[in-house]
mmCIF file of all heavy atoms in Angstrom:
data_model
loop_
_atom_site.group_PDB
_atom_site.id
_atom_site.type_symbol
_atom_site.label_atom_id
_atom_site.label_comp_id
_atom_site.label_asym_id
_atom_site.label_seq_id
_atom_site.Cartn_x
_atom_site.Cartn_y
_atom_site.Cartn_z
ATOM 1 N N THR Y 242 -213.134 131.019 9.327
ATOM 2 C CA THR Y 242 -212.494 129.629 9.384
ATOM 3 C C THR Y 242 -211.941 129.433 8.033
ATOM 4 O O THR Y 242 -212.167 129.975 6.970
ATOM 5 C CB THR Y 242 -213.501 128.550 9.572
ATOM 6 O OG1 THR Y 242 -214.493 128.648 8.472
ATOM 7 C CG2 THR Y 242 -214.276 128.780 10.908
ATOM 8 N N ASP Y 243 -210.992 128.374 8.052
ATOM 9 C CA ASP Y 243 -210.406 128.074 6.702
ATOM 10 C C ASP Y 243 -211.397 127.546 5.664
ATOM 11 O O ASP Y 243 -211.292 127.881 4.421
ATOM 12 C CB ASP Y 243 -209.343 126.762 6.903
ATOM 13 C CG ASP Y 243 -208.202 127.300 7.574
ATOM 14 O OD1 ASP Y 243 -207.806 128.541 7.630
ATOM 15 O OD2 ASP Y 243 -207.423 126.453 8.242
ATOM 16 N N GLU Y 244 -212.539 126.981 6.151
ATOM 17 C CA GLU Y 244 -213.589 126.494 5.215
ATOM 18 C C GLU Y 244 -214.166 127.630 4.556
ATOM 19 O O GLU Y 244 -214.943 127.379 3.526
ATOM 20 C CB GLU Y 244 -214.555 125.651 6.045
ATOM 21 C CG GLU Y 244 -214.108 124.366 6.618
ATOM 22 C CD GLU Y 244 -213.160 124.547 7.934
ATOM 23 O OE1 GLU Y 244 -213.330 125.549 8.569
ATOM 24 O OE2 GLU Y 244 -212.246 123.661 8.119
ATOM 25 N N ALA Y 245 -214.070 128.827 5.085
ATOM 26 C CA ALA Y 245 -214.907 129.995 4.496
ATOM 27 C C ALA Y 245 -213.955 130.721 3.515
ATOM 28 O O ALA Y 245 -214.364 131.789 3.031
ATOM 29 C CB ALA Y 245 -215.219 130.955 5.638
ATOM 30 N N LYS Y 246 -212.793 130.256 3.154
ATOM 31 C CA LYS Y 246 -211.970 130.943 2.119
ATOM 32 C C LYS Y 246 -212.738 131.234 0.864
ATOM 33 O O LYS Y 246 -212.476 132.228 0.106
ATOM 34 C CB LYS Y 246 -210.750 130.129 1.811
ATOM 35 C CG LYS Y 246 -209.769 129.985 2.983
ATOM 36 C CD LYS Y 246 -209.083 131.251 3.271
ATOM 37 C CE LYS Y 246 -207.929 131.059 4.430
ATOM 38 N NZ LYS Y 246 -207.501 132.354 4.934
ATOM 39 N N GLY Y 247 -213.632 130.395 0.471
ATOM 40 C CA GLY Y 247 -214.484 130.566 -0.710
ATOM 41 C C GLY Y 247 -215.351 131.755 -0.812
ATOM 42 O O GLY Y 247 -215.944 132.187 -1.724
ATOM 43 N N GLU Y 248 -215.602 132.276 0.464
ATOM 44 C CA GLU Y 248 -216.467 133.394 0.647
ATOM 45 C C GLU Y 248 -215.771 134.739 0.553
ATOM 46 O O GLU Y 248 -216.338 135.848 0.609
ATOM 47 C CB GLU Y 248 -217.184 133.342 2.016
ATOM 48 C CG GLU Y 248 -217.841 132.045 2.435
ATOM 49 C CD GLU Y 248 -218.941 131.717 1.362
ATOM 50 O OE1 GLU Y 248 -219.440 132.689 0.844
ATOM 51 O OE2 GLU Y 248 -219.229 130.578 1.275
ATOM 52 N N ILE Y 249 -214.446 134.663 0.451
ATOM 53 C CA ILE Y 249 -213.615 136.005 0.310
ATOM 54 C C ILE Y 249 -213.493 136.238 -1.211
ATOM 55 O O ILE Y 249 -212.977 135.403 -2.024
ATOM 56 C CB ILE Y 249 -212.271 135.740 0.981
ATOM 57 C CG1 ILE Y 249 -212.352 135.337 2.384
ATOM 58 C CG2 ILE Y 249 -211.329 136.967 0.693
ATOM 59 C CD1 ILE Y 249 -211.086 134.845 3.057
ATOM 60 N N ARG Y 250 -213.825 137.459 -1.609
ATOM 61 C CA ARG Y 250 -213.773 137.959 -2.908
ATOM 62 C C ARG Y 250 -212.319 138.584 -3.130
ATOM 63 O O ARG Y 250 -211.842 138.627 -4.318
ATOM 64 C CB ARG Y 250 -214.813 138.923 -3.221
ATOM 65 C CG ARG Y 250 -216.215 138.246 -3.105
ATOM 66 C CD ARG Y 250 -217.213 139.247 -3.453
ATOM 67 N NE ARG Y 250 -218.588 138.800 -3.272
ATOM 68 C CZ ARG Y 250 -219.665 139.570 -3.330
ATOM 69 N NH1 ARG Y 250 -219.611 140.812 -3.531
ATOM 70 N NH2 ARG Y 250 -220.857 139.065 -3.116
ATOM 71 N N ARG Y 251 -211.939 139.332 -2.162
ATOM 72 C CA ARG Y 251 -210.561 139.999 -2.227
ATOM 73 C C ARG Y 251 -210.073 140.199 -0.720
ATOM 74 O O ARG Y 251 -210.897 140.224 0.209
ATOM 75 C CB ARG Y 251 -210.721 141.257 -2.919
ATOM 76 C CG ARG Y 251 -211.590 142.410 -2.244
ATOM 77 C CD ARG Y 251 -211.444 143.754 -3.039
ATOM 78 N NE ARG Y 251 -212.398 144.679 -2.438
ATOM 79 C CZ ARG Y 251 -212.162 145.373 -1.256
ATOM 80 N NH1 ARG Y 251 -211.052 145.208 -0.628
ATOM 81 N NH2 ARG Y 251 -213.073 146.148 -0.686
ATOM 82 N N SER Y 252 -208.837 140.419 -0.625
ATOM 83 C CA SER Y 252 -208.247 140.700 0.745
ATOM 84 C C SER Y 252 -208.561 142.004 1.191
ATOM 85 O O SER Y 252 -208.636 143.028 0.467
ATOM 86 C CB SER Y 252 -206.745 140.536 0.688
ATOM 87 O OG SER Y 252 -206.325 139.286 0.485
ATOM 88 N N ALA Y 253 -208.960 142.087 2.558
ATOM 89 C CA ALA Y 253 -209.406 143.415 3.093
ATOM 90 C C ALA Y 253 -209.161 143.288 4.672
ATOM 91 O O ALA Y 253 -209.386 142.124 5.169
ATOM 92 C CB ALA Y 253 -210.731 143.761 2.754
ATOM 93 N N LEU Y 254 -208.931 144.326 5.269
ATOM 94 C CA LEU Y 254 -208.945 144.425 6.695
ATOM 95 C C LEU Y 254 -209.808 145.678 7.121
ATOM 96 O O LEU Y 254 -209.876 146.661 6.361
ATOM 97 C CB LEU Y 254 -207.424 144.645 7.278
ATOM 98 C CG LEU Y 254 -206.671 143.533 7.363
ATOM 99 C CD1 LEU Y 254 -205.769 143.446 6.117
ATOM 100 C CD2 LEU Y 254 -205.751 143.670 8.611
ATOM 101 N N CYS Y 255 -210.450 145.485 8.268
ATOM 102 C CA CYS Y 255 -211.170 146.651 8.778
ATOM 103 C C CYS Y 255 -210.569 146.976 10.196
ATOM 104 O O CYS Y 255 -210.075 146.005 10.853
ATOM 105 C CB CYS Y 255 -212.647 146.520 8.805
ATOM 106 S SG CYS Y 255 -213.129 145.239 9.877
ATOM 107 N N LEU Y 256 -210.589 148.129 10.677
ATOM 108 C CA LEU Y 256 -210.114 148.524 11.990
ATOM 109 C C LEU Y 256 -211.168 149.386 12.700
ATOM 110 O O LEU Y 256 -211.575 150.350 12.089
ATOM 111 C CB LEU Y 256 -208.840 149.359 11.875
ATOM 112 C CG LEU Y 256 -208.139 149.554 13.240
ATOM 113 C CD1 LEU Y 256 -206.673 149.633 13.044
ATOM 114 C CD2 LEU Y 256 -208.590 150.835 13.901
ATOM 115 N N ILE Y 257 -211.654 148.768 13.798
ATOM 116 C CA ILE Y 257 -212.768 149.511 14.458
ATOM 117 C C ILE Y 257 -212.106 149.760 15.905
ATOM 118 O O ILE Y 257 -211.719 148.919 16.553
ATOM 119 C CB ILE Y 257 -214.012 148.682 14.621
ATOM 120 C CG1 ILE Y 257 -214.528 148.229 13.340
ATOM 121 C CG2 ILE Y 257 -215.135 149.473 15.388
ATOM 122 C CD1 ILE Y 257 -215.550 147.185 13.344
ATOM 123 N N ARG Y 258 -212.334 151.069 16.405
ATOM 124 C CA ARG Y 258 -211.796 151.487 17.800
ATOM 125 C C ARG Y 258 -213.085 151.657 18.463
ATOM 126 O O ARG Y 258 -214.101 152.345 17.963
ATOM 127 C CB ARG Y 258 -211.029 152.752 17.576
ATOM 128 C CG ARG Y 258 -210.526 153.293 18.898
ATOM 129 C CD ARG Y 258 -210.124 154.744 18.666
ATOM 130 N NE ARG Y 258 -210.026 155.559 20.017
ATOM 131 C CZ ARG Y 258 -211.174 156.138 20.536
ATOM 132 N NH1 ARG Y 258 -212.286 156.067 19.922
ATOM 133 N NH2 ARG Y 258 -211.090 156.791 21.650
ATOM 134 N N TYR Y 259 -213.039 151.338 19.842
ATOM 135 C CA TYR Y 259 -214.122 151.431 20.628
ATOM 136 C C TYR Y 259 -213.710 152.346 21.853
ATOM 137 O O TYR Y 259 -212.616 152.213 22.384
ATOM 138 C CB TYR Y 259 -214.630 150.107 21.325
ATOM 139 C CG TYR Y 259 -215.139 149.204 20.262
ATOM 140 C CD1 TYR Y 259 -214.347 148.355 19.471
ATOM 141 C CD2 TYR Y 259 -216.460 149.400 19.740
ATOM 142 C CE1 TYR Y 259 -214.908 147.463 18.548
ATOM 143 C CE2 TYR Y 259 -216.963 148.528 18.791
ATOM 144 C CZ TYR Y 259 -216.198 147.653 18.174
ATOM 145 O OH TYR Y 259 -216.683 146.929 17.086
ATOM 146 N N GLU Y 260 -214.515 153.303 22.083
ATOM 147 C CA GLU Y 260 -214.243 154.200 23.318
ATOM 148 C C GLU Y 260 -214.242 153.429 24.620
ATOM 149 O O GLU Y 260 -213.516 153.596 25.485
ATOM 150 C CB GLU Y 260 -215.337 155.357 23.266
ATOM 151 C CG GLU Y 260 -214.941 156.458 24.321
ATOM 152 C CD GLU Y 260 -213.636 157.102 23.965
ATOM 153 O OE1 GLU Y 260 -213.331 157.330 22.776
ATOM 154 O OE2 GLU Y 260 -212.910 157.395 24.874
ATOM 155 N N GLU Y 261 -215.271 152.603 24.773
ATOM 156 C CA GLU Y 261 -215.485 151.792 26.005
ATOM 157 C C GLU Y 261 -214.990 150.267 25.685
ATOM 158 O O GLU Y 261 -215.350 149.815 24.552
ATOM 159 C CB GLU Y 261 -216.812 151.745 26.488
ATOM 160 C CG GLU Y 261 -217.384 153.064 26.918
ATOM 161 C CD GLU Y 261 -216.563 153.583 28.183
ATOM 162 O OE1 GLU Y 261 -216.159 152.832 28.996
ATOM 163 O OE2 GLU Y 261 -216.241 154.863 28.193
ATOM 164 N N PRO Y 262 -214.306 149.655 26.534
ATOM 165 C CA PRO Y 262 -213.890 148.273 26.171
ATOM 166 C C PRO Y 262 -215.008 147.442 25.957
ATOM 167 O O PRO Y 262 -216.029 147.372 26.701
ATOM 168 C CB PRO Y 262 -213.006 147.883 27.480
ATOM 169 C CG PRO Y 262 -212.686 149.044 28.135
ATOM 170 C CD PRO Y 262 -213.801 150.117 27.810
ATOM 171 N N VAL Y 263 -214.778 146.386 25.138
ATOM 172 C CA VAL Y 263 -215.684 145.263 24.853
ATOM 173 C C VAL Y 263 -215.201 144.099 25.596
ATOM 174 O O VAL Y 263 -213.981 143.805 25.446
ATOM 175 C CB VAL Y 263 -215.831 145.037 23.299
ATOM 176 C CG1 VAL Y 263 -216.544 143.730 23.040
ATOM 177 C CG2 VAL Y 263 -216.322 146.149 22.499
ATOM 178 N N ASP Y 264 -215.998 143.375 26.285
ATOM 179 C CA ASP Y 264 -215.541 142.184 27.103
ATOM 180 C C ASP Y 264 -215.356 141.107 26.088
ATOM 181 O O ASP Y 264 -216.226 140.604 25.507
ATOM 182 C CB ASP Y 264 -216.677 141.801 28.108
ATOM 183 C CG ASP Y 264 -216.274 140.629 28.915
ATOM 184 O OD1 ASP Y 264 -215.214 139.962 28.512
ATOM 185 O OD2 ASP Y 264 -216.947 140.318 29.871
ATOM 186 N N TRP Y 265 -214.189 140.564 26.017
ATOM 187 C CA TRP Y 265 -213.732 139.530 24.923
ATOM 188 C C TRP Y 265 -213.309 138.311 25.873
ATOM 189 O O TRP Y 265 -212.147 138.122 26.212
ATOM 190 C CB TRP Y 265 -212.562 139.997 24.107
ATOM 191 C CG TRP Y 265 -212.567 139.358 22.819
ATOM 192 C CD1 TRP Y 265 -212.096 138.218 22.452
ATOM 193 C CD2 TRP Y 265 -213.205 139.974 21.673
ATOM 194 N NE1 TRP Y 265 -212.268 137.964 21.032
ATOM 195 C CE2 TRP Y 265 -212.935 139.049 20.516
ATOM 196 C CE3 TRP Y 265 -213.776 141.204 21.311
ATOM 197 C CZ2 TRP Y 265 -213.391 139.378 19.241
ATOM 198 C CZ3 TRP Y 265 -214.186 141.495 20.063
ATOM 199 C CH2 TRP Y 265 -214.008 140.621 19.001
ATOM 200 N N ASP Y 266 -214.361 137.665 26.458
ATOM 201 C CA ASP Y 266 -214.143 136.537 27.343
ATOM 202 C C ASP Y 266 -213.218 136.961 28.520
ATOM 203 O O ASP Y 266 -212.192 136.316 28.908
ATOM 204 C CB ASP Y 266 -213.393 135.371 26.586
ATOM 205 C CG ASP Y 266 -214.221 134.857 25.484
ATOM 206 O OD1 ASP Y 266 -215.376 134.783 25.617
ATOM 207 O OD2 ASP Y 266 -213.770 134.547 24.402
ATOM 208 N N GLY Y 267 -213.529 138.014 29.157
ATOM 209 C CA GLY Y 267 -212.855 138.535 30.272
ATOM 210 C C GLY Y 267 -211.723 139.428 30.057
ATOM 211 O O GLY Y 267 -211.055 139.902 30.858
#
């Protein structure tokens, strides 16, 4: 959330690939 910007020390992204689909609200 925008309120959590103070919890970020530096910019980063992670990428995780799943073999089987994860149900994301259908």
